[in-house]
Amino acid sequence: METILLITLFVPLLGAIINGVFGSPFKKYAHWVAVPAIGISWLGALYLLKFVMAGNTLNVNLWQWIPVKDFNVHFGLLLDPLSAVMIATVTTVSFFIHIYSIGYMHGDPGYRRYFAYLNLFVFSMLMLVLANNYVLLFVGWEAVGLCSYLLIGFWYEKKSASDAGKKAFIVNRIGDAGFILGIFTMFFAVGAVDYKTVFAAAPQLSAAIVGSITFFLFMGAIGKSAQFPLYVWLPDAMEGPTPVSALIHAATMVTAGVYMVARSSALYSAHGSIANVVASIGAFTAIFAASIALVNDDIKRVLAYSTISQLGYMFIGVGVGAYATGIFHLYTHAFFKALLFLTAGSVMHALHGELNMQKMGGLFKKMPHTGLTFIIGALALSGIPPLAGFYSKDSILKEALVRGHTTIWWIGTITAFMTAFYMFRLIFMVFFGEPRDRELYEHAHESPAVMTIPLWILAIGAISAGWVGIGEDASPFFKFLAPSLHYAEHGALLEPAAWQEWLPLIFGVAGILLAWSMYMKRIPSPVGMARAFKPIYKLLKGKYYVDEIYDIFIVKPIYYLAIILFKLVDRILIDGTVNGVAWVNRATGAVLNKIQTGAVKTYMLWIVFAATLIMWLQLLK
C-alpha cells in the first residue's frame, strides 16, 4: 500500500518534470504526459480511499529528513479518513480540469509550461494533505503558493497578470510568517512537530501556549484561504487562465487553510476563544465578500468573491467545532465551484475572452450545454435541494445554531440570500434576455466536447456529492471522518425551531426570485435601485476601497521608505563608504606610482633620502 501511496503522490511531480525539463519535443502534445499523470494519481487516490473505508490507516516515515540536535523531522505521510477524502477530492476535480484545459489552452505558446505548472500544483497539494508533520505540510503549503504565483502570472507579458501573481505571492507571505511562528512555538512547547506527538500533548499545554500556536497557524490560513483582511489577492488571481482559477478555487491552494484547521482540531478544540475567532472571521468574510459580488460585473470576479464567501462558511464550520461540516462543504464546493469556473471559461472561450457581463445576454440559445451546467452549479452554490450545496451549507448553519452561535447563524442565513441573488443575477445577465453586444453574440458558439464533457461530469458531482451527508450525526460522511478529528467538550446542544431550519432555504429561493424580478422583469429596475441607494452602491462597487486603503497606509509608506533608504543609506552611506575606500586606494596608488619610474638615479635618490631620514630619527633619540 505504501507503493500506491507514493505513486499517487509522485506521479504528478514526474509529469511536471517531464514537461518542464525534458518536454521540448512535446510542445503542443504536453497533455499526453500531464493528463495520464493526473489520471494515475486519481485512480491511486480512489484505491486509497477504498483502503481507508475498509477501516485501515497508514502512518509511515519514509526517511529522516532534518536531523538537527533535538529537532528531528521525517519525510512522513499520513493516510487516514481526512487525508483520503482530500486526495480523492483534489485528484478528481484536477483530472477533469486537466482534460478541459486541452481545449481551453489549445494553441497557447506556453502550452507545455502550463501543463508542467498544473501537474506541479497538484503534487504540491497532495504533499500538503498527506504530510504527517507540520514542517512537511509547510513545504507543500509554500509549494502551492509558488505554483499559484507561476499560474496566476502565467501570461506574464500582461502587466496586470504579472502584478496579480506578485500580489498573491506577497500577501501570502504575510500569513505564512504567522504559520512559521506557530511551528516554532509548537516545537519549543512540545519538542516535536509531528501530528501524533503534538496532538497527544495538546491537553497538557497551557491555554497561553495553545492559544499562541493556534492563532499563528490561523494567520497562515487567513492568507492561504483568502479570509479578511488578507483576501485581496484572490480576486486579482483571475488574471490567470480560467482552468487555473478553477483549480485554485475548487481543489487546491485556498482549501489548504480549512484543511489545516480541521487537521489541527486537537489544538483548536483545546482553546475555545481562538476557535471563536476562526468562526467570527469566517462569518464576517462570508457576508463581506458576498456583498461585493452583488454589484460586480466581471463574471470571473463574481465567482472569486463567491469563493471567498464560501470559504467563510467553511471556517464557520471548523470554528464552531463542527470540523466535519467544514470539510463536507469543502468537498461539495470543489465540484460546483470547479464547474462554475469552467463554465465561465466556456463563455469566455466563446466571446474571445470577454468578461464584462454588461456586454452579454441571450447566450443560452448559443451555448445550451454551458448554460445548463452553469445553472446546475449556481443552484448548488445557492443551497437549493437536492443539490450538493444545500446539504453542506445547511449542516454548517445548523451546527452554528445548535452550538449557540445565533449571530453567526443569522449572518450565514443572510449571506445565503445574497449568494442566490448574485449568482442568478449573473445567469440572467449572461444567458437570458436580449444580447447587449450583437457582434459578440453573433460570434458566440458552444465549446468543443473536450470542454463540455468535463462540465457535465462535474455537474453530476454538483448534484449528487452532498448525498453522502444526508442524515443526522451518523450520516456516512461524518461517520467516516470522525476518527481523524477531535471534538471539544460542550454543553447540551440547542434544539432549532422548524422555521430556523427552513429559513436559509427560504432566503435562498427569495434571492433567486428577486434576481429574476430585477433582471428579467425590471421590477424594480437595477438602474433605479443603484440610484436610490447610490452611496451603498458606490461603496460596494468600489469593493469597500480596501485595496486603496492598503495602498495609502501600507504600500506607499513602504515604497517611499524604500526610496529614502535607497538614496540615503544605499547611495550615500554604503556606496559612499565603498567608493571612498576605492578613492583612497586609487590616490595612494597614484602617489606610489610616481616612485616606480624605472630610473636608477631616482631609486638611488630615494634610498639616500630614506637613509638620511633614518639617521636623523636615530639622532633625535
Side-chain angles (χ1 to χ4, degrees), residues 23-203:
S24 295
F26 296 102
K27 292 187 178 178
K28 60 182 179 180
Y29 302 107
H31 57 276
W32 287 110
V33 174
V35 175
I38 297 300
I40 292 169
S41 186
W42 177 44
L43 293 175
L46 295 180
Y47 186 84
L48 292 170
L49 178 62
K50 182 180 177 182
F51 172 76
V52 176
M53 289 176 70
N56 304 297
T57 60
L58 194 62
N59 189 359
V60 53
N61 289 322
L62 297 173
W63 64 80
Q64 194 177 43
W65 179 26
I66 308 175
V68 182
K69 292 186 178 180
D70 296 332
F71 187 67
N72 194 349
V73 181
H74 289 81
F75 189 98
L77 304 178
L78 173 63
L79 180 67
D80 68 348
L82 179 56
S83 58
V85 167
M86 289 299 297
I87 62 173
T89 303
V90 169
T91 54
T92 300
V93 173
S94 299
F95 178 67
F96 293 109
I97 289 173
H98 273 69
I99 294 174
Y100 176 96
S101 296
I102 297 171
Y104 189 87
M105 296 299 291
H106 177 71
D108 192 280
Y111 193 73
R112 177 176 62 87
R113 177 168 55 93
Y114 170 83
F115 276 105
Y117 291 166
L118 220 58
N119 271 191
L120 185 61
F121 208 169
V122 176
F123 161 74
S124 302
M125 189 65 186
L126 292 176
M127 182 166 61
L128 187 157
V129 300
L130 286 171
N132 74 354
N133 63 79
Y134 282 96
V135 174
L136 186 58
L137 182 150
F138 185 69
V139 172
W141 188 275
E142 290 301 287
V144 294
L146 170 64
C147 293
S148 69
Y149 164 74
L150 295 172
L151 284 165
I152 293 168
F154 180 77
W155 289 311
Y156 55 84
E157 302 90 347
K158 289 169 54 183
K159 188 177 185 303
S160 58
S162 61
D163 286 348
K166 288 183 284 188
K167 184 175 183 179
F169 195 80
I170 292 168
V171 171
N172 272 277
R173 297 292 69 72
I174 298 169
D176 293 352
F179 197 103
I180 293 172
L181 289 174
I183 295 175
F184 286 165
T185 307
M186 182 189 303
F187 174 72
F188 286 122
V190 181
V193 292
D194 63 284
Y195 299 152
K196 186 177 180 180
T197 306
V198 172
F199 298 161

Side-chain angles (χ1 to χ4, degrees), residues 305-545:
Y305 284 109
S306 166
T307 298
I308 298 169
S309 181
Q310 295 303 305
L311 287 164
Y313 273 113
M314 297 174 206
F315 279 110
I316 291 174
V318 296
V320 299
Y323 301 101
T325 61
I327 296 299
F328 185 35
H329 196 51
L330 183 158
Y331 152 73
T332 61
H333 178 263
F335 289 96
F336 55 76
K337 186 49 61 71
L339 172 62
L340 288 167
F341 267 106
L342 295 186
T343 48
S346 182
V347 171
M348 292 173 60
H349 185 265
L351 302 181
H352 308 289
E354 183 58 59
L355 289 166
N356 189 349
M357 298 189 302
Q358 297 289 353
K359 296 183 178 180
M360 302 178 191
L363 291 178
F364 193 89
K365 295 178 183 177
K366 292 285 189 100
M367 310 176 69
H369 291 284
T370 298
L372 192 53
T373 52
F374 197 104
I375 291 171
I376 291 171
L379 287 169
L381 179 61
S382 301
I384 305 300
L387 281 77
F390 167 75
Y391 300 103
S392 57
K393 181 207 68 181
D394 270 34
S395 294
I396 289 172
L397 293 178
K398 182 177 179 180
E399 289 289 348
L401 186 61
V402 300
R403 291 166 189 263
H405 299 275
T406 308
T407 302
I408 288 176
W409 176 81
W410 271 112
I411 292 173
T413 301
I414 295 169
T415 302
F417 167 79
M418 299 167 104
T419 302
F421 175 82
Y422 67 66
M423 285 308 301
F424 278 83
R425 169 183 179 264
L426 186 156
I427 286 171
F428 294 132
M429 289 181 71
V430 172
F431 293 104
F432 297 97
E434 293 299 318
R436 297 175 187 81
D437 188 318
R438 180 58 62 174
E439 185 178 351
L440 276 177
Y441 177 78
E442 294 300 332
H443 288 89
H445 56 83
E446 186 59 273
S447 297
V450 73
M451 294 171 67
T452 55
I453 290 174
L455 295 184
W456 278 109
I457 293 172
L458 290 170
I460 293 170
I463 294 169
S464 61
W467 297 349
V468 296
I470 296 176
E472 296 300 323
D473 292 340
S475 65
F477 190 87
F478 298 124
K479 189 175 180 180
F480 176 66
L481 278 182
S484 296
L485 304 170
H486 300 77
Y487 296 94
E489 294 293 331
H490 52 74
L493 297 178
L494 303 177
E495 187 65 33
W499 68 270
Q500 291 175 313
E501 293 195 33
W502 286 103
L503 193 63
L505 175 59
I506 294 170
F507 271 38
V509 173
I512 294 172
L513 293 176
L514 179 60
W516 173 80
S517 178
M518 287 182 65
Y519 290 92
M520 295 300 293
K521 297 298 182 181
R522 302 291 169 181
I523 304 173
S525 165
V527 176
M529 290 289 287
R531 288 174 181 166
F533 299 96
K534 188 175 180 180
I536 297 174
Y537 177 80
K538 191 174 180 181
L539 183 66
L540 296 180
K541 200 72 173 174
K543 300 168 289 186
Y544 295 99
Y545 304 102

